[in-house]
Amino acid sequence: MRPALHAEWTKLRTVAGPSWLLLATVALTVALSALALAGESYANADAGVDLPKLSLTGIYLGQAIVAILGVVVIGSEYGFGMIRITLAAVPRRWTVLAAKAVVVGGLVLATGTIAVLACLLAGRLILPGHGFTAAHDYALLSLAHGSTLRAAAGSVLYLVLIALLSLGVAAAVRSSAAAIGIVLGLLYLFPIIAAVVPYPHWQRHLQQLAPMTAGLAIEVTTNLRSLPIGPWAGLGVLAAWSTAALLVGGLVLRLRDG
Amino acid sequence: MSETPAPYRSELPAGRDGFAQLLRAEWTKLHTVRGWMVALVAAGLLIVLMAAVATFHQQTSVQAGPDSPVVAAHPFVPHGPSGEAVTDSFYFVHQALVGDGSITVRVSSLTGDIAQTYNSHSTSQGEQLASTRPGLVPWAKAGLIVKQGTTQGSPYAALMVTGSHGVRLQYNYTHDIAGSPGAVSAASPRWLRLSRSGDLLTGSESSDGRHWTRVGSARLAGLSETVQAGLFVTSPATRPSTQAFSSPSGSSASAVFDHVGLEGQWSKRAWSGVAVGAGTVTPTLTSGSYQQSGGIFAVSGSGDIAPAVDVGSTPADTLAGLFVGLIVVIVLGALFMTAEYRRGLIRTTLAASPRRGRVLAAKVLVLSSVTFAVGLVATTIAVPLGEHLLRVNGNYLYPVGVLSEVRVVAGTAALLALAAILALALGTVLRRSAGAIVAVIAAIVLPNVLVITAALPLAASQWLLRLTPAAGLAIQQTLTAYPQVDYAYSPARGYFPLAPWAGFAVLCAYAALALGLAVVLLRRRDA
């Protein structure tokens, strides 16, 4: 396993693409969060704005970049024929997939932590200037609050799980383009479809099943009762999607020719 | 001596490097990949399927009698003089007046009540009245009105004082002219005068009944000789929050009028009171009433005289499947170019046709025609099917002109084509499918996800729908936002920050910009 990990790490470290993607993840996540923060003010907001969730809005965009990383880690190997060398060097295919998962997961864990902390810092700096002060019953964003810490740590885990989901899907369909289309379709289409299905209980079930709406329940810190699914249960749903994708991807890798 | 054999010449005619050949080559490259064609057809079918799913929605059930079948029906929505959906509910103290003349009145008080908690399940009047608090909504209205008749939706001109928008001259539901600002009270009453001269109605206001200022005038084409004129009071429902999908609370207003005067050919007869459109608009707080003692009228009413909001569905509501289609054509558009780089086919393509700009033009033409055609077939089926299902299930559909309907149907197909072009151009620039696909999906689909999930504050999502390629979705817009109706005009409810063609132009500009960059880079770089 160690040599496999080392090989995967070398493959990622020695090309420029992944570092640009990780940089873009942080930059775009913080940029969208800043847009959301700039657009909200106490004066024209509803009561009880969920400040940690608002500060973490950028995850909606950041996850798309993380998905590219998860997809190209295996998709580009198929594209350039590198997969044959990889599998010749490490014939145990589950080991290859596991090594890729560990390396990608670790990188996204580190990057996601930076991005999430930067988002919360932006919220801490911007929100008091927009009227979200103690005088209006809004505390300064701080990781010392249990729910804010949960939202922050959960968002990092969310990004890691999205990367693993993408890796699994790419291993299963063996094409970067198809894989990224499927992953973004899974993430973004569910809420759009849930918004138009006719019956409220269908809507609720769709929101409980969808990887993005369920997974992002982890960011909610106010009015938890109105959520279709609890924060950790929601992240569990996403984890189930990622596991399923990795299993299918691993099976395809195992059963088909490189 | 044998003859020297002539050098071999192929019998085949020389190949031509015309644009038609290029188009044929690109079409062959597109339609012979089975996966791509399957995905395109599936996307078209999903657009139709989503129209059926999204519109299978029973709005309200109405049972005429205990034994009659339950039929799906929506509350009656009147239509204004130019065919738009309107709200027309108010209390009207009126008399029939013939010919030209003017009516003058002094308003000395305007107060109101707002339902505290409107429960959408309790429809009995008593329950709503039980929980009110004093309060005047900003668009509570009281004043003079000259109206074709007492039927809902008939032409009118009205001069009024409002809760917090000062004096207004409004006519035919959509028009609104501002007069002087300020609220009325016993200390600062307001005199209003509405004069008719043929089709022309002119409104004037005064603070003392002597010095008059013209507010504006309204031309009501074809106004009948006999009109209903008099005093009116109404007060629209309010929505407590701007973002949440909360149900509105009814409100009512009461006004005190005196110094009622009729001039010109108009002569005073007995006044009678009528609640116009009582019970047809939800929610109203009271059907209204009036009391007259001496020359003083106390009138109360509830409702609104304005364009209707939040009463029905639009053609865009049938097109939720567009986003499925968008993701498919974006993947396809990017692959149409990146697959050539991945497989090295681009070298063959450019060797066969060295003028690279023409190659890209042929690709754009083939890809956009195919995606537009598939999209058009899908939307041409989806929109009428969805509208039919909506109607059958008892939903009200906003009146939409044929041209607007065509714009939504063809514009949505054009959205698919433009998204594919954008992906093709970015695929040429980046030469990486994953990056190009994510960039275009993040630019077109993600802003709508943020709008629908209400993840962004309204102001931020409106800016996104002005500045990103997602602005193009405005082409589906068939509703108009009116400042004289307080409503959460959000993109999620079909009100876009840009006009349909302006939003579409933004998307076109992005596609043109990306294509320009793609041509430059394709020419400059080695394949």
Side-chain angles (χ1 to χ4, degrees):
Chain A
M1 184 72 187
R2 271 185 66 99
L5 276 176
H6 190 252
E8 292 306 327
W9 171 239
T10 308
K11 276 188 267 182
L12 268 186
R13 188 172 52 84
T14 50
V15 289
S19 24
W20 281 113
L21 284 177
L22 294 176
L23 203 63
T25 305
V26 176
L28 292 172
T29 305
V30 177
L32 184 61
S33 283
L35 178 74
L37 290 165
E40 191 71 294
S41 67
Y42 178 78
N44 51 26
D46 293 345
V49 178
D50 191 343
L51 296 186
K53 181 172 163 51
L54 183 71
S55 309
L56 291 169
T57 306
I59 300 291
Y60 277 92
L61 181 55
Q63 63 183 348
I65 319 296
V66 163
I68 304 183
L69 185 71
V71 160
V72 296
V73 154
I74 192 153
S76 68
E77 292 215 10
Y78 279 105
F80 293 111
M82 176 76 178
I83 191 74
R84 272 163 248 153
I85 300 168
T86 303
L87 294 181
V90 186
R92 274 175 310 216
R93 298 184 172 187
W94 282 106
T95 310
V96 170
L97 192 65
K100 283 185 187 294
V102 169
V103 170
V104 169
L107 274 177
V108 173
L109 189 70
T111 315
T113 308
I114 297 171
V116 164
L117 289 179
C119 287
L120 291 179
L121 183 66
R124 203 179 154 95
L125 293 177
I126 295 173
L127 287 173
H130 288 209
F132 294 99
T133 53
H136 293 133
D137 280 341
Y138 283 103
L140 202 58
L141 279 187
S142 159
L143 288 177
H145 296 132
S147 54
T148 309
L149 184 63
R150 186 249 299 151
S155 297
V156 177
L157 289 179
Y158 175 87
L159 288 178
V160 172
L161 288 171
I162 293 292
L164 297 182
L165 171 71
S166 314
L167 176 67
V169 171
V173 302
R174 311 206 289 180
S175 142
S176 296
I180 202 76
I182 291 170
V183 170
L184 293 191
L186 278 178
L187 295 179
Y188 292 152
L189 289 182
F190 266 104
I192 291 175
I193 292 171
V196 298
V197 295
Y199 303 105
H201 62 276
W202 288 14
Q203 266 180 22
R204 211 172 156 79
H205 286 319
L206 273 179
Q207 285 165 348
Q208 287 163 344
L209 281 176
M212 185 175 85
T213 41
L216 284 181
I218 198 74
E219 289 184 348
V220 178
T221 63
T222 59
N223 210 0
L224 287 176
R225 280 229 189 107
S226 69
L227 279 180
I229 192 165
W232 289 108
L235 205 63
V237 168
L238 176 60
W241 277 94
S242 305
T243 312
L246 282 175
L247 280 178
V248 174
L251 278 178
V252 169
L253 198 61
R254 179 85 182 74
L255 297 177
R256 289 176 63 167
D257 286 336
Chain B
M1 206 169 99
S2 59
E3 284 181 39
T4 324
Y8 172 75
R9 287 276 185 272
S10 169
E11 303 275 308
L12 295 167
R16 276 175 304 155
D17 168 34
F19 195 62
Q21 279 71 24
L22 209 48
L23 284 179
R24 183 154 173 239
E26 293 303 333
W27 164 238
T28 310
K29 277 188 239 173
L30 184 66
H31 84 92
T32 50
V33 184
R34 192 188 295 151
W36 294 358
M37 287 298 109
V38 169
L40 256 185
V41 171
L45 289 176
L46 277 169
I47 289 175
V48 176
L49 183 72
M50 284 296 293
V53 169
T55 54
F56 191 75
H57 181 39
Q58 199 122 321
Q59 182 84 349
T60 18
S61 299
V62 172
Q63 199 168 11
D67 297 325
S68 54
V70 176
V71 290
H74 56 78
F76 169 69
V77 180
H79 288 178
S82 42
E84 70 283 356
V86 300
T87 308
D88 198 8
S89 298
F90 58 101
Y91 197 81
F92 194 11
V93 180
H94 66 106
Q95 58 178 285
L97 295 172
V98 184
D100 294 345
S102 72
I103 178 169
T104 309
V105 76
R106 190 179 78 153
V107 191
S108 55
S109 158
L110 180 61
T111 55
D113 288 303
I114 300 173
Q116 197 108 38
T117 47
Y118 177 75
N119 185 348
S120 58
H121 299 294
S122 72
T123 45
S124 84
Q125 290 262 314
E127 274 176 82
Q128 288 174 45
L129 280 170
S131 54
T132 61
R133 64 183 165 87
L136 192 60
V137 298
W139 280 108
K141 299 165 179 174
L144 298 171
I145 186 167
V146 170
K147 194 168 163 67
Q148 176 102 352
T150 54
T151 49
Q152 286 185 291
S154 60
Y156 76 95
L159 183 67
M160 66 200 77
V161 294
T162 58
S164 55
H165 293 279
V167 174
R168 296 271 161 171
L169 174 71
Q170 297 189 344
Y171 62 99
N172 283 358
Y173 308 94
T174 54
H175 302 271
D176 176 38
I177 300 167
S180 67
V184 292
S185 64
S188 70
R190 197 76 47 142
W191 294 74
L192 305 172
R193 175 176 290 161
L194 196 55
S195 320
R196 175 182 184 185
S197 166
D199 287 352
L200 194 70
L201 277 297
T202 305
S204 311
E205 59 165 314
S206 164
S207 54
D208 52 11
R210 285 191 296 275
H211 304 95
W212 290 89
T213 319
R214 187 174 166 278
V215 178
S217 56
R219 190 169 290 284
L220 306 181
L223 189 65
S224 59
E225 183 73 5
T226 305
V227 292
Q228 296 296 329
L231 317 172
F232 82 100
V233 174
T234 192
S235 182
T238 62
R239 286 162 183 83
S241 64
T242 50
Q243 286 251 336
F245 285 71
S246 51
S247 48
S249 315
S251 75
S252 68
S254 304
V256 176
F257 301 91
D258 53 17
H259 294 92
V260 181
L262 291 166
E263 287 127 51
Q265 300 167 21
W266 291 358
S267 57
K268 196 180 263 178
R269 264 174 298 224
W271 296 99
S272 56
V274 59
V276 174
T280 55
V281 65
T282 48
T284 50
L285 207 53
T286 164
S287 55
S289 62
Y290 94 103
Q291 287 174 333
Q292 183 184 2
S293 70
I296 301 172
F297 294 76
V299 186
S300 67
S302 180
D304 204 1
I305 314 176
V309 291
D310 209 14
V311 294
S313 304
T314 63
D317 291 341
T318 65
L319 287 171
L322 166 69
F323 295 96
V324 183
L326 277 175
I327 289 187
V328 170
V329 299
I330 287 168
V331 170
L332 185 65
L335 272 177
F336 198 36
M337 187 50 110
T338 57
E340 294 221 7
Y341 282 101
R342 179 68 24 110
R343 309 280 170 216
L345 183 64
I346 188 73
R347 288 184 278 271
T348 313
T349 303
L350 295 182
S353 178
R355 278 181 286 175
R356 297 182 173 186
R358 289 204 329 166
V359 172
L360 197 62
K363 275 192 182 292
V364 166
L365 205 59
V366 167
L367 181 70
S368 55
S369 316
V370 170
T371 47
F372 181 78
V374 172
L376 193 63
V377 170
T379 54
T380 309
I381 299 170
V383 171
L385 172 73
E387 288 181 339
H388 172 75
L389 287 174
L390 280 171
R391 257 189 220 106
V392 166
N393 290 310
N395 293 270
Y396 174 75
L397 291 171
Y398 282 105
V400 174
V402 176
L403 279 180
S404 302
E405 189 100 14
V406 169
R407 161 168 59 77
V408 173
V409 168
T412 303
L415 284 181
L416 290 168
L418 282 166
I421 292 174
L422 200 54
L424 175 81
L426 277 188
T428 313
V429 171
L430 298 174
R431 299 186 181 185
R432 291 278 189 285
S433 50
I437 291 165
V438 166
V440 182
I441 290 180
I444 298 184
V445 179
L446 178 59
N448 285 284
V449 174
L450 293 172
V451 164
I452 286 170
T453 56
L456 277 185
L458 184 61
S461 58
Q462 281 182 329
W463 276 111
L464 272 187
L465 288 183
R466 281 190 192 106
L467 297 179
T468 65
L473 268 109
I475 199 74
Q476 296 188 333
Q477 177 173 235
T478 48
L479 299 173
T480 314
Y482 292 96
Q484 70 267 35
V485 182
D486 274 339
Y487 182 64
Y489 292 110
S490 69
R493 297 172 188 230
Y495 298 93
F496 286 79
L498 289 178
W501 291 107
F504 192 70
V506 171
L507 176 58
C508 288
Y510 272 103
L513 204 69
L515 265 185
L517 191 64
V519 169
V520 170
L521 289 180
L522 187 64
R523 281 209 183 120
R524 288 227 181 125
R525 293 193 299 206
D526 287 336

PDB file of all heavy atoms in Angstrom, chain A residues 45-65:
ATOM      1  N   ALA A  45     -33.036  41.504   5.908  1.00  0.00           N
ATOM      2  CA  ALA A  45     -33.046  40.046   6.008  1.00  0.00           C
ATOM      3  C   ALA A  45     -34.237  39.594   6.832  1.00  0.00           C
ATOM      4  O   ALA A  45     -34.804  40.364   7.598  1.00  0.00           O
ATOM      5  CB  ALA A  45     -31.765  39.562   6.640  1.00  0.00           C
ATOM      6  N   ASP A  46     -34.613  38.334   6.639  1.00  0.00           N
ATOM      7  CA  ASP A  46     -35.617  37.738   7.502  1.00  0.00           C
ATOM      8  C   ASP A  46     -35.026  37.555   8.895  1.00  0.00           C
ATOM      9  O   ASP A  46     -33.824  37.667   9.095  1.00  0.00           O
ATOM     10  CB  ASP A  46     -36.012  36.354   6.965  1.00  0.00           C
ATOM     11  CG  ASP A  46     -36.729  36.467   5.649  1.00  0.00           C
ATOM     12  OD1 ASP A  46     -37.159  37.573   5.321  1.00  0.00           O
ATOM     13  OD2 ASP A  46     -36.846  35.441   4.957  1.00  0.00           O
ATOM     14  N   ALA A  47     -35.901  37.230   9.835  1.00  0.00           N
ATOM     15  CA  ALA A  47     -35.408  36.971  11.180  1.00  0.00           C
ATOM     16  C   ALA A  47     -34.599  35.674  11.183  1.00  0.00           C
ATOM     17  O   ALA A  47     -34.871  34.753  10.424  1.00  0.00           O
ATOM     18  CB  ALA A  47     -36.584  36.873  12.140  1.00  0.00           C
ATOM     19  N   GLY A  48     -33.612  35.623  12.055  1.00  0.00           N
ATOM     20  CA  GLY A  48     -32.877  34.379  12.285  1.00  0.00           C
ATOM     21  C   GLY A  48     -32.055  33.913  11.115  1.00  0.00           C
ATOM     22  O   GLY A  48     -32.190  32.787  10.651  1.00  0.00           O
ATOM     23  N   VAL A  49     -31.189  34.780  10.578  1.00  0.00           N
ATOM     24  CA  VAL A  49     -30.298  34.366   9.489  1.00  0.00           C
ATOM     25  C   VAL A  49     -29.280  33.377  10.043  1.00  0.00           C
ATOM     26  O   VAL A  49     -28.722  33.572  11.117  1.00  0.00           O
ATOM     27  CB  VAL A  49     -29.581  35.586   8.880  1.00  0.00           C
ATOM     28  CG1 VAL A  49     -28.632  35.140   7.787  1.00  0.00           C
ATOM     29  CG2 VAL A  49     -30.583  36.573   8.340  1.00  0.00           C
ATOM     30  N   ASP A  50     -29.057  32.305   9.288  1.00  0.00           N
ATOM     31  CA  ASP A  50     -28.100  31.280   9.695  1.00  0.00           C
ATOM     32  C   ASP A  50     -26.706  31.720   9.227  1.00  0.00           C
ATOM     33  O   ASP A  50     -26.301  31.460   8.099  1.00  0.00           O
ATOM     34  CB  ASP A  50     -28.508  29.948   9.040  1.00  0.00           C
ATOM     35  CG  ASP A  50     -27.732  28.796   9.613  1.00  0.00           C
ATOM     36  OD1 ASP A  50     -26.694  29.031  10.249  1.00  0.00           O
ATOM     37  OD2 ASP A  50     -28.180  27.650   9.416  1.00  0.00           O
ATOM     38  N   LEU A  51     -25.998  32.430  10.104  1.00  0.00           N
ATOM     39  CA  LEU A  51     -24.735  33.047   9.679  1.00  0.00           C
ATOM     40  C   LEU A  51     -23.659  32.045   9.263  1.00  0.00           C
ATOM     41  O   LEU A  51     -23.003  32.251   8.244  1.00  0.00           O
ATOM     42  CB  LEU A  51     -24.211  33.966  10.788  1.00  0.00           C
ATOM     43  CG  LEU A  51     -25.111  35.164  11.115  1.00  0.00           C
ATOM     44  CD1 LEU A  51     -24.440  36.073  12.119  1.00  0.00           C
ATOM     45  CD2 LEU A  51     -25.462  35.937   9.867  1.00  0.00           C
ATOM     46  N   PRO A  52     -23.434  30.941  10.020  1.00  0.00           N
ATOM     47  CA  PRO A  52     -22.417  29.991   9.538  1.00  0.00           C
ATOM     48  C   PRO A  52     -22.756  29.444   8.159  1.00  0.00           C
ATOM     49  O   PRO A  52     -21.884  29.368   7.290  1.00  0.00           O
ATOM     50  CB  PRO A  52     -22.450  28.894  10.604  1.00  0.00           C
ATOM     51  CG  PRO A  52     -22.983  29.552  11.823  1.00  0.00           C
ATOM     52  CD  PRO A  52     -23.955  30.574  11.336  1.00  0.00           C
ATOM     53  N   LYS A  53     -24.023  29.114   7.940  1.00  0.00           N
ATOM     54  CA  LYS A  53     -24.423  28.575   6.628  1.00  0.00           C
ATOM     55  C   LYS A  53     -24.208  29.617   5.535  1.00  0.00           C
ATOM     56  O   LYS A  53     -23.706  29.313   4.461  1.00  0.00           O
ATOM     57  CB  LYS A  53     -25.883  28.144   6.678  1.00  0.00           C
ATOM     58  CG  LYS A  53     -26.390  27.534   5.358  1.00  0.00           C
ATOM     59  CD  LYS A  53     -27.770  26.951   5.566  1.00  0.00           C
ATOM     60  CE  LYS A  53     -28.492  26.710   4.257  1.00  0.00           C
ATOM     61  NZ  LYS A  53     -27.737  25.959   3.272  1.00  0.00           N
ATOM     62  N   LEU A  54     -24.592  30.863   5.840  1.00  0.00           N
ATOM     63  CA  LEU A  54     -24.407  31.938   4.865  1.00  0.00           C
ATOM     64  C   LEU A  54     -22.925  32.096   4.515  1.00  0.00           C
ATOM     65  O   LEU A  54     -22.561  32.235   3.350  1.00  0.00           O
ATOM     66  CB  LEU A  54     -24.962  33.249   5.437  1.00  0.00           C
ATOM     67  CG  LEU A  54     -24.902  34.456   4.502  1.00  0.00           C
ATOM     68  CD1 LEU A  54     -25.893  34.308   3.375  1.00  0.00           C
ATOM     69  CD2 LEU A  54     -25.161  35.742   5.265  1.00  0.00           C
ATOM     70  N   SER A  55     -22.068  32.038   5.540  1.00  0.00           N
ATOM     71  CA  SER A  55     -20.635  32.212   5.298  1.00  0.00           C
ATOM     72  C   SER A  55     -20.068  31.069   4.469  1.00  0.00           C
ATOM     73  O   SER A  55     -19.031  31.231   3.832  1.00  0.00           O
ATOM     74  CB  SER A  55     -19.878  32.284   6.623  1.00  0.00           C
ATOM     75  OG  SER A  55     -20.466  33.231   7.458  1.00  0.00           O
ATOM     76  N   LEU A  56     -20.731  29.905   4.518  1.00  0.00           N
ATOM     77  CA  LEU A  56     -20.205  28.734   3.821  1.00  0.00           C
ATOM     78  C   LEU A  56     -20.898  28.505   2.477  1.00  0.00           C
ATOM     79  O   LEU A  56     -20.802  27.435   1.892  1.00  0.00           O
ATOM     80  CB  LEU A  56     -20.359  27.496   4.710  1.00  0.00           C
ATOM     81  CG  LEU A  56     -19.447  27.505   5.949  1.00  0.00           C
ATOM     82  CD1 LEU A  56     -19.836  26.416   6.919  1.00  0.00           C
ATOM     83  CD2 LEU A  56     -17.996  27.352   5.540  1.00  0.00           C
ATOM     84  N   THR A  57     -21.619  29.530   1.975  1.00  0.00           N
ATOM     85  CA  THR A  57     -22.312  29.390   0.691  1.00  0.00           C
ATOM     86  C   THR A  57     -21.362  28.962  -0.427  1.00  0.00           C
ATOM     87  O   THR A  57     -21.754  28.250  -1.348  1.00  0.00           O
ATOM     88  CB  THR A  57     -22.979  30.723   0.304  1.00  0.00           C
ATOM     89  OG1 THR A  57     -23.799  31.134   1.381  1.00  0.00           O
ATOM     90  CG2 THR A  57     -23.828  30.583  -0.942  1.00  0.00           C
ATOM     91  N   GLY A  58     -20.094  29.392  -0.338  1.00  0.00           N
ATOM     92  CA  GLY A  58     -19.125  29.104  -1.386  1.00  0.00           C
ATOM     93  C   GLY A  58     -18.915  27.628  -1.641  1.00  0.00           C
ATOM     94  O   GLY A  58     -18.427  27.242  -2.710  1.00  0.00           O
ATOM     95  N   ILE A  59     -19.286  26.785  -0.671  1.00  0.00           N
ATOM     96  CA  ILE A  59     -19.128  25.339  -0.858  1.00  0.00           C
ATOM     97  C   ILE A  59     -19.894  24.868  -2.096  1.00  0.00           C
ATOM     98  O   ILE A  59     -19.480  23.934  -2.777  1.00  0.00           O
ATOM     99  CB  ILE A  59     -19.636  24.580   0.397  1.00  0.00           C
ATOM    100  CG1 ILE A  59     -18.836  24.995   1.634  1.00  0.00           C
ATOM    101  CG2 ILE A  59     -19.566  23.077   0.205  1.00  0.00           C
ATOM    102  CD1 ILE A  59     -17.406  24.545   1.632  1.00  0.00           C
ATOM    103  N   TYR A  60     -21.014  25.554  -2.405  1.00  0.00           N
ATOM    104  CA  TYR A  60     -21.788  25.183  -3.596  1.00  0.00           C
ATOM    105  C   TYR A  60     -20.916  25.198  -4.849  1.00  0.00           C
ATOM    106  O   TYR A  60     -21.105  24.400  -5.758  1.00  0.00           O
ATOM    107  CB  TYR A  60     -22.945  26.174  -3.799  1.00  0.00           C
ATOM    108  CG  TYR A  60     -24.170  25.886  -2.979  1.00  0.00           C
ATOM    109  CD1 TYR A  60     -24.342  26.459  -1.729  1.00  0.00           C
ATOM    110  CD2 TYR A  60     -25.167  25.052  -3.459  1.00  0.00           C
ATOM    111  CE1 TYR A  60     -25.473  26.209  -0.982  1.00  0.00           C
ATOM    112  CE2 TYR A  60     -26.298  24.799  -2.733  1.00  0.00           C
ATOM    113  CZ  TYR A  60     -26.449  25.377  -1.487  1.00  0.00           C
ATOM    114  OH  TYR A  60     -27.570  25.124  -0.752  1.00  0.00           O
ATOM    115  N   LEU A  61     -19.988  26.164  -4.912  1.00  0.00           N
ATOM    116  CA  LEU A  61     -19.100  26.271  -6.074  1.00  0.00           C
ATOM    117  C   LEU A  61     -17.836  25.448  -5.860  1.00  0.00           C
ATOM    118  O   LEU A  61     -17.370  24.759  -6.774  1.00  0.00           O
ATOM    119  CB  LEU A  61     -18.760  27.750  -6.313  1.00  0.00           C
ATOM    120  CG  LEU A  61     -17.859  28.072  -7.495  1.00  0.00           C
ATOM    121  CD1 LEU A  61     -18.419  27.496  -8.780  1.00  0.00           C
ATOM    122  CD2 LEU A  61     -17.725  29.587  -7.636  1.00  0.00           C
ATOM    123  N   GLY A  62     -17.290  25.507  -4.639  1.00  0.00           N
ATOM    124  CA  GLY A  62     -16.046  24.800  -4.349  1.00  0.00           C
ATOM    125  C   GLY A  62     -16.150  23.314  -4.640  1.00  0.00           C
ATOM    126  O   GLY A  62     -15.206  22.695  -5.145  1.00  0.00           O
ATOM    127  N   GLN A  63     -17.326  22.743  -4.361  1.00  0.00           N
ATOM    128  CA  GLN A  63     -17.484  21.303  -4.572  1.00  0.00           C
ATOM    129  C   GLN A  63     -17.305  20.928  -6.042  1.00  0.00           C
ATOM    130  O   GLN A  63     -16.840  19.829  -6.348  1.00  0.00           O
ATOM    131  CB  GLN A  63     -18.853  20.857  -4.081  1.00  0.00           C
ATOM    132  CG  GLN A  63     -20.000  21.480  -4.848  1.00  0.00           C
ATOM    133  CD  GLN A  63     -21.359  21.084  -4.310  1.00  0.00           C
ATOM    134  OE1 GLN A  63     -21.470  20.179  -3.501  1.00  0.00           O
ATOM    135  NE2 GLN A  63     -22.389  21.782  -4.740  1.00  0.00           N
ATOM    136  N   ALA A  64     -17.646  21.840  -6.962  1.00  0.00           N
ATOM    137  CA  ALA A  64     -17.515  21.532  -8.393  1.00  0.00           C
ATOM    138  C   ALA A  64     -16.036  21.400  -8.766  1.00  0.00           C
ATOM    139  O   ALA A  64     -15.667  20.548  -9.570  1.00  0.00           O
ATOM    140  CB  ALA A  64     -18.188  22.612  -9.232  1.00  0.00           C
ATOM    141  N   ILE A  65     -15.196  22.244  -8.159  1.00  0.00           N
ATOM    142  CA  ILE A  65     -13.762  22.187  -8.463  1.00  0.00           C
ATOM    143  C   ILE A  65     -13.157  20.928  -7.837  1.00  0.00           C
ATOM    144  O   ILE A  65     -12.319  20.239  -8.438  1.00  0.00           O
ATOM    145  CB  ILE A  65     -13.042  23.449  -7.944  1.00  0.00           C
ATOM    146  CG1 ILE A  65     -13.871  24.699  -8.195  1.00  0.00           C
ATOM    147  CG2 ILE A  65     -11.662  23.556  -8.570  1.00  0.00           C
ATOM    148  CD1 ILE A  65     -14.093  25.025  -9.622  1.00  0.00           C
TER     149      ILE A  65
END
